[in-house]
Amino acid sequence: MDDIRRFARTRNFAFRSIVIALVLSFVASVCLVQLANLQLLGRNTALAATQMRTTKVAVNAKRGRILDANGVVLAQSVERYNIIVDPQLASEFKPTACNDTTKEYCHQIDGKPVGASGAAAVARLLATVLDGTNAMELGAAISDANSRYAVVAKDVTPEIKRKIDDLNLGGIVYGELTNERVYSGGTMLGPILGGVNADGSGVAGLEQSLDKTLTGTDGYEIYQRGNGGEMIPGTLTDSKDAVNGSDVTLTVDGNVDWYVKKALIEGKEKYNASWAMAVVADVKTGDILALEDTDEREAGSDDAKLNASRVVSETFDPGSIGKVFTMAGVLQEGQHKATDQFTVPDTITTDDGQTYTDAETHGAEHWTYAGILKNSSNVGMILAASNYTDEQRYEYLRKFGVGQETGLDLSAESAGILHHWQDWDLRTRNTVLFGQGYTMNALQITQAIAAVGNGGVMPKLRLIKSTTDADGHVTENAGGNATRVIDEDVASQVLNAMESVSDLYKNMVSVPGYRIAAKSGTAEVAGSDGKLTSIVSDWSGVIPADNPRFVITVVMKDAKVGSFGGLTAGPVFATIGEFLMQKYNVSPSAKRTDAIPVEW
């Protein structure tokens, strides 16, 4: 019996022990599972937190600068910030009341409580710094609690960024570094420089044509961001440096360009013209020192982006300036010399029945070919070109760049119009002899007259002097190849005749101490009604004539006080020429002793 009881006690004890062991095992298993879960969850939670804090931030490359020939910055990108709000965090925001304990990080507006919470409170605080921002509209824009990124302001200055930092909204509001394009010259070179779009890409002017050169390559940084949006030290895991765009240096002298624009505006007012424009270039190199018009369009503005410079886009009949090209071609073909003598009436009727007249009535004049150019005789040009074929007339106009782009690659540049000689009608074949029946822009005229001043070699116009990459390596822009158009002796004769033209206008167009070789022009052009109701007057010349340094072209439209180029565009030429002689300290001219006779 005792054995039975001992067995029963032993069995019961064993059973209880097994049950306890099972319970302990179960508890241990649960603990192990829970511990494993906690470790995994902690790891996942930490990973999630790390991933939430980790961000890839673009490091914006700066767009290259545009500088004038003196190194003055005309366009550059400056430090700016895009202001970002995290709407999810904004929705959870509760302003901290200000007291002695919280005064370093509290929130208030003009010393008073914010009066709201969530996105509305964030918006109210931001509106105190972002001028012109409506707090209610901003609050609505950042109220999406499911969003983590909303841009509320672009291109704010570092000063505004610091004021936003002082609002104590770290983690909710932060700034991303970006760049803004700014221009120092106002309306100077406005459409020539053009502008960029919201993404910083060039969309007009040099900003567009040089976009690949000016645009850099963005980099990036991957790191963990703290509550204030700042990088947590030691968390940078990957990065790529940004490479800034190259700087571009122009041939334009900002001082000359400024003065040219001033002279044009004053000339426009003095002669009551619709507009005026001018180009200044180095005769030998083709370097453009100035290219301006009277339009007031600020670089970078929508106005500058939507409207091209008149210098490149406006084309017109050059008028009597075209007689220079005719004389040069006739002399080059050996058909005449500048000293050849002609009897020139004021009217002529050609064999095909077309009648042409000079601008002024006169009798039968005894003029040399140089005298025909001096007196700007249409009839004389036709007489001198009796053996000058249509094909030759077309060929030399092409040689002087008519109907061809200058190669400057400026947006909206017009090549003008020059129809093939086989398409000319009976009248056009002769009007091209005196600058009518084809069109040019001011750059083309400048380049063509430079050929005469440069001994018959037409330089390729150059606007880009050099580029400097992010490492400071400078690459000179060689420009295009110069082209010989006429022989040196022919150029000398034409230049001599052009100096006699200037002598004719010496009471209106003169630069004391310096000789000028130039040609004036006047042409009818289409007015606002589409009919030939407007007048373009122009003047293009070389100074000094005895030692050519610069070529200047001035063009005016609808000058009400004297429509002839020598009376309007010419005096503006003289104003610019005098400035150039002083600025570059050009030696005075020698007395003229080799004038070709203009009468016989």
Side-chain angles (χ1 to χ4, degrees), residues 270-333:
K270 180 177 181 179
Y271 300 109
N272 195 18
S274 298
W275 50 254
M277 59 181 168
V279 179
V280 178
D282 185 296
V283 166
K284 300 185 184 302
T285 66
D287 283 0
I288 296 173
L289 305 180
L291 61 170
E292 276 295 351
D293 58 42
T294 51
D295 293 337
E296 298 284 351
R297 309 186 195 281
E298 290 193 8
S301 68
D302 289 341
D303 207 17
K305 296 174 193 175
L306 296 173
N307 295 278
S309 168
R310 292 186 186 276
V311 171
V312 298
S313 64
E314 196 83 42
T315 60
F316 46 88
D317 290 12
S320 292
I321 289 178
K323 291 169 183 171
V324 171
F325 315 143
T326 299
M327 183 179 185
V330 170
L331 295 182
Q332 182 65 33
E333 289 299 314

Side-chain angles (χ1 to χ4, degrees), residues 121-162:
V122 173
R124 289 186 183 184
L125 289 166
L126 282 175
T128 64
V129 175
L130 298 175
D131 292 339
T133 300
N134 182 284
M136 292 184 64
E137 293 177 356
L138 180 57
I142 60 174
S143 61
D144 183 3
N146 295 318
S147 174
R148 301 304 305 269
Y149 189 92
V151 180
V152 297
K154 288 187 174 183
D155 297 327
V156 304
T157 63
E159 179 185 8
I160 297 298
K161 164 67 165 51
R162 286 191 293 271

Side-chain angles (χ1 to χ4, degrees), residues 36-273:
N37 284 338
L38 285 173
Q39 290 178 330
L40 290 173
L41 180 60
R43 188 178 298 114
N44 290 337
T45 301
L47 181 60
T50 298
Q51 290 175 340
M52 181 176 293
R53 290 193 302 268
T54 300
T55 183
K56 182 177 182 179
V57 178
V59 179
N60 294 325
K62 275 193 175 181
R63 188 172 178 83
R65 301 175 299 170
I66 300 177
L67 306 95
D68 83 341
N70 304 311
V72 176
V73 177
L74 302 174
Q76 64 179 325
S77 296
V78 296
E79 179 183 339
R80 292 293 184 263
Y81 291 87
N82 290 338
I83 303 304
I84 314 300
V85 172
D86 183 329
Q88 186 180 98
L89 295 181
S91 67
E92 302 169 357
F93 173 67
K94 294 181 180 180
T96 300
C98 290
N99 53 48
D100 291 340
T101 303
T102 64
K103 61 182 180 181
E104 297 298 329
Y105 55 88
C106 66
H107 307 94
Q108 60 181 359
I109 299 175
D110 295 331
K112 299 178 182 179
V114 177
S117 61
V122 173
R124 289 186 183 184
L125 289 166
L126 282 175
T128 64
V129 175
L130 298 175
D131 292 339
T133 300
N134 182 284
M136 292 184 64
E137 293 177 356
L138 180 57
I142 60 174
S143 61
D144 183 3
N146 295 318
S147 174
R148 301 304 305 269
Y149 189 92
V151 180
V152 297
K154 288 187 174 183
D155 297 327
V156 304
T157 63
E159 179 185 8
I160 297 298
K161 164 67 165 51
R162 286 191 293 271
K163 289 182 179 180
I164 291 174
D165 291 341
D166 291 341
L167 293 175
N168 300 316
L169 294 172
I172 301 174
V173 181
Y174 56 93
E176 286 185 348
L177 181 64
T178 183
N179 299 303
E180 181 186 13
R181 200 67 168 168
V182 296
Y183 303 86
S184 62
T187 62
M188 190 179 79
L189 294 173
I192 295 295
L193 292 173
V196 299
N197 61 17
D199 296 326
S201 299
V203 293
L206 290 173
E207 292 280 23
Q208 181 182 45
S209 61
L210 297 172
D211 191 53
K212 289 184 178 179
T213 301
L214 294 168
T215 301
T217 303
D218 288 346
Y220 63 84
E221 290 181 342
I222 299 177
Y223 57 81
Q224 294 180 40
R225 195 196 299 272
N227 289 335
E230 75 284 356
M231 179 195 296
I232 298 175
T235 62
L236 181 67
T237 57
D238 192 13
S239 66
K240 179 181 179 182
D241 291 337
V243 179
N244 294 333
S246 296
D247 291 343
V248 175
T249 299
L250 307 182
T251 60
V252 172
D253 184 322
N255 295 324
V256 175
D257 196 86
W258 174 86
Y259 189 86
V260 167
K261 192 170 188 75
K262 175 177 176 291
L264 288 172
I265 292 173
E266 291 174 352
K268 173 189 172 184
E269 294 175 354
K270 180 177 181 179
Y271 300 109
N272 195 18

